């Protein structure tokens, strides 16, 4: 079961306390920009994790301004649409509300997931030819740690994505194999422990390099993990070897 550290109390709490009860994930952002996009990205991954656990979940956006620009940037990052808070009321059967906020912001009372700021390494947000590159940079550090966006971070993320997408495409040519129990357990243990996405990425490194795993199992494991990560790791399937 997914447990989250409540930034308001410092205590670990169930993200979905009522079995099959609706959980609302409410992202609070002041406007557009890298900081707000990171808040929305964390909310997006939280929604994905809850869905993978079988929890009904509802994503809601509370944005003060620059709505169109924010939604455009979020869509480019692969963040799925959130409903506008101004247009909705309490959900039927709603059992929990999780507020995803920027560090230092003050949302309504409730469980609070705080997201550290993003610091540009140079003026403006560096350009990435593939939006998943920026998504990976933002996911590669714990959400309570600041992220610096610079050319080096983007280059490293780009190289990682290229390598892993090529590997996934190659593994897909081999007979499929079930996800190993150890891999599945490691992945779920990582993301259910306060949504530790960097630990999920470390598990993928283990899967990629563990010599005893068949390639078909590597493929299925990466495809499964990407349901959480949203990095389009299967994009190169069918491409020439």
């Amino acid at each position: 079961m997914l447990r989250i550290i409540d930034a308001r109390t410092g205590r670990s709490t169930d993200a979905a306390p009522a079995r099959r009860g609706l959980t609302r994930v409410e992202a609070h952002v002041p406007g557009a920009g890298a900081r707000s996009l990171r808040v929305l990205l964390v909310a997006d991954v939280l929604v994905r994790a809850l869905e993978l656990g079988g929890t009904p979940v509802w994503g809601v956006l509370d944005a003060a301004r620059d709505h169109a620009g924010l939604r455009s940037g979020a869509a480019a990052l692969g963040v799925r649409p959130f409903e506008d808070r101004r247009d909705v009321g309490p959900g039927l059967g709603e059992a929990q509300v999780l507020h995803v906020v920027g560090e230092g912001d003050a949302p309504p009372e409730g469980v609070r997931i705080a997201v550290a700021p993003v610091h540009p390494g140079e003026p403006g947000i560096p350009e990435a030819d593939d939006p998943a590159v920026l998504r990976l940079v933002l996911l590669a550090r714990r959400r309570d740690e600041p992220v610096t966006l610079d050319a080096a971070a983007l280059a490293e993320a780009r190289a990682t994505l290229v390598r892993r997408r090529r590997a996934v495409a190659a593994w897909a040519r081999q007979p499929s194999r079930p996800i190993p129990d150890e891999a599945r357990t490691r992945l779920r243990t990582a993301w259910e422990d306060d949504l530790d996405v960097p630990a999920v990425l470390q598990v993928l490194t283990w899967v990629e390099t563990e010599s005893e795993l068949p390639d078909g199992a590597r493929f299925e494991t990466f495809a499964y993990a990407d349901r959480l990560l949203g990095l389009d790791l299967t994009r190169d399937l069918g491409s020439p070897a």
Side-chain angles (χ1 to χ4, degrees):
M1 178 178 292
L2 175 62
R3 293 187 64 82
I4 292 290
I5 300 296
D6 184 350
R8 186 173 56 87
T9 65
R11 298 174 181 170
S12 178
T13 185
D14 290 341
R19 182 171 177 80
R20 303 304 178 189
L22 177 67
T23 294
R24 180 204 295 239
V25 173
E26 194 162 302
H28 300 263
V29 297
R35 179 174 181 268
S36 293
L37 287 175
R38 192 183 189 197
V39 169
L40 257 179
L41 179 57
V42 170
D44 176 66
V45 175
L46 178 57
V47 167
R48 291 168 182 259
L50 288 165
E51 288 177 342
L52 284 167
T55 298
V57 59
W58 183 22
V60 177
L61 172 63
D62 180 11
R65 58 183 183 278
D66 203 3
H67 222 231
L70 178 66
R71 287 192 180 275
S72 175
L77 271 185
V79 174
R80 291 178 294 182
F82 280 49
E83 292 192 58
D84 193 323
R85 187 175 185 273
R86 294 170 295 185
D87 299 333
V88 301
L92 182 64
E94 190 172 278
Q96 172 85 294
V97 181
L98 304 174
H99 299 282
V100 185
V101 301
E103 197 174 79
D105 291 349
E109 289 295 314
V111 179
R112 184 182 308 175
I113 296 98
V115 181
V118 178
H119 304 302
E122 53 195 61
I125 301 175
E127 292 293 329
D129 51 355
D130 179 354
V133 171
L134 179 56
R135 185 177 176 107
L136 179 55
V137 172
L138 296 176
L139 290 177
R141 295 187 70 86
R142 287 185 55 87
R143 66 171 183 275
D144 57 356
E145 299 177 355
V147 171
T148 298
L149 285 180
D150 56 24
L154 290 168
E156 181 180 356
R158 184 179 296 107
T160 298
L161 276 178
V162 168
R163 185 188 76 251
R164 288 189 164 169
R165 284 170 173 170
R166 286 175 178 170
V168 167
W171 298 333
R173 300 186 186 98
Q174 304 304 314
S176 179
R177 293 289 186 272
I179 299 172
D181 289 342
E182 183 178 359
R184 188 186 296 272
T185 298
R186 285 192 181 193
L187 286 170
R188 296 197 71 92
T189 298
W191 77 59
E192 289 180 353
D193 180 15
D194 198 31
L195 203 65
D196 192 347
V197 178
V200 172
L201 295 170
Q202 290 171 7
V203 175
L204 292 188
T205 298
W206 171 75
V207 171
E208 186 178 10
T209 57
E210 173 55 54
S211 60
E212 299 300 317
L213 293 180
D215 286 348
R218 297 185 213 273
F219 169 77
E220 296 295 346
T221 304
F222 268 64
Y224 173 66
D226 204 37
R227 292 170 61 187
L228 176 86
L229 299 171
L231 294 172
D232 204 9
L233 295 176
T234 60
R235 191 189 72 174
D236 292 346
L237 263 60
S239 61

